[in-house]
Amino acid sequence: MPRLLVAIRGDRTQSEAAQLSGLTQSKISRAEAGKFPFDEETAAAYARALGAEPAQIRRLVALAAAHGAENMTGRKQLIRSAHVIQRRLASLEQQTRLLRSWVLDVVPGLAQTADYTRALLGEDPGERWWAARRERLAVVDTLDRELHLLMSEAVLRWGIGSAEIMAAQVAHLAELAGRTTIRLGIVPLDTIHPIAAPRDFSIFGQATAMVATDVGTTFISEPDDIAEFGSAHAELSGLAAYGDDARRLLDRAAQLYREGAASGPVAR
């Protein structure tokens, strides 16, 4: 949707597009950035106001409809629909041979221990959710898939649950990093980065991407958008530590949590 919105706007500024459509410039900016896409009615009205071609209008409305169907919003709705999202992820992970992901401050789902997951959720999501999660975790043990997991070092620094839970979680990440089918990269915090850290996302092969926010989960299938996520993943990969360098970051975090488990609650 973002590229199509930019194409429809053409040479006009966002402010000019706002005057023509009656929307605010900030709303147009957010939609073009992919943060808050238009609903179907708004998409149609906006495209017509800017004199878009009929094919462009139909395409924009179709993208808005797809986003509305696949974007789960609202915490209560997310909790009720969580098992559906887990099943969708399991299906995507089973179909792809290459999974690329980036996380900013939470261990990726495929790499979480059960105790870490429980502490993260803060409530029991129900047996259907756990069954779907177990189905997803089976992918980690499949030899014909490649997982390229990227994370910020903040994932290791942000303790969840207890020092014991975190020590076990970091040890699990170290074990996963030693597998031949998993490439684990950690972007260190103690350096200057040329880009801002993006929100969490995953790319399933070349066909689908998923973006997670505080209030929703969106699945994206537009090729141009997936290509942009692929470029972002490649750029983040260039900033990440791998192999022995990644293990040193894991060892440092594990030691801090082991010391915290021995002395009491981890200082925050």
Side-chain angles (χ1 to χ4, degrees), residues 163 167 252-266:
R252 181 169 67 185
Q255 181 61 32
L256 288 173
Y257 288 119
R258 284 193 297 267
E259 293 173 355
S263 60
V266 179

Side-chain angles (χ1 to χ4, degrees), residues 104-158:
L104 181 59
D105 53 15
V106 174
V107 174
L110 289 177
Q112 292 176 10
T113 65
D115 286 339
Y116 180 94
T117 299
R118 292 188 188 96
L120 176 64
L121 294 177
E123 60 182 285
D124 189 347
E127 179 53 34
R128 288 190 298 177
W129 190 96
W130 284 110
R133 170 57 67 89
R134 288 191 292 270
E135 184 179 346
R136 290 185 60 202
L137 292 178
V139 171
V140 177
D141 297 319
T142 304
L143 296 178
D144 63 346
R145 288 176 176 81
E146 179 184 352
L147 277 63
H148 188 171
L149 308 179
L150 281 174
M151 63 180 66
S152 165
E153 190 184 356
V155 171
L156 309 178
R157 303 272 191 94
W158 192 274

Side-chain angles (χ1 to χ4, degrees), residues 51-266:
E53 297 292 331
Q56 289 179 314
I57 297 174
R58 289 193 297 271
R59 176 61 176 160
L60 188 62
V61 171
L63 289 172
H67 176 270
E70 295 195 332
N71 188 49
M72 309 284 188
T73 59
R75 178 166 177 78
K76 291 299 182 183
Q77 184 180 354
L78 277 173
I79 292 171
R80 290 195 299 268
S81 307
H83 71 282
V84 177
I85 297 174
Q86 289 290 315
R87 291 290 184 189
R88 176 73 188 276
L89 290 173
S91 176
L92 288 169
E93 289 158 353
Q94 289 165 2
Q95 293 171 26
T96 186
R97 291 295 174 266
L98 171 62
L99 170 64
R100 293 166 288 172
S101 68
W102 156 257
V103 291
L104 181 59
D105 53 15
V106 174
V107 174
L110 289 177
Q112 292 176 10
T113 65
D115 286 339
Y116 180 94
T117 299
R118 292 188 188 96
L120 176 64
L121 294 177
E123 60 182 285
D124 189 347
E127 179 53 34
R128 288 190 298 177
W129 190 96
W130 284 110
R133 170 57 67 89
R134 288 191 292 270
E135 184 179 346
R136 290 185 60 202
L137 292 178
V139 171
V140 177
D141 297 319
T142 304
L143 296 178
D144 63 346
R145 288 176 176 81
E146 179 184 352
L147 277 63
H148 188 171
L149 308 179
L150 281 174
M151 63 180 66
S152 165
E153 190 184 356
V155 171
L156 309 178
R157 303 272 191 94
W158 192 274
I160 292 176
S162 69
E164 291 89 349
I165 289 174
M166 288 304 301
Q169 176 62 74
V170 174
H172 182 58
L173 288 172
E175 187 273 324
L176 292 177
R179 301 191 187 187
T180 57
T181 57
I182 297 178
R183 189 178 184 209
L184 179 66
I186 303 173
V187 178
L189 290 176
D190 55 354
T191 186
I192 302 299
H193 305 114
I195 60 172
R199 284 187 175 274
D200 298 359
F201 65 84
S202 296
I203 313 170
F204 306 90
Q206 306 297 330
T208 306
M210 181 199 76
V211 183
T213 71
D214 293 338
V215 295
T217 299
T218 302
F219 296 92
I220 297 170
S221 57
E222 189 170 0
D224 287 345
D225 291 335
I226 293 171
E228 288 184 9
F229 283 115
S231 297
H233 193 273
E235 189 167 10
L236 290 163
S237 177
L239 305 175
Y242 292 91
D244 290 340
D245 291 333
R247 278 188 285 275
R248 277 191 285 271
L249 294 174
L250 290 167
D251 288 344
R252 181 169 67 185
Q255 181 61 32
L256 288 173
Y257 288 119
R258 284 193 297 267
E259 293 173 355
S263 60
V266 179

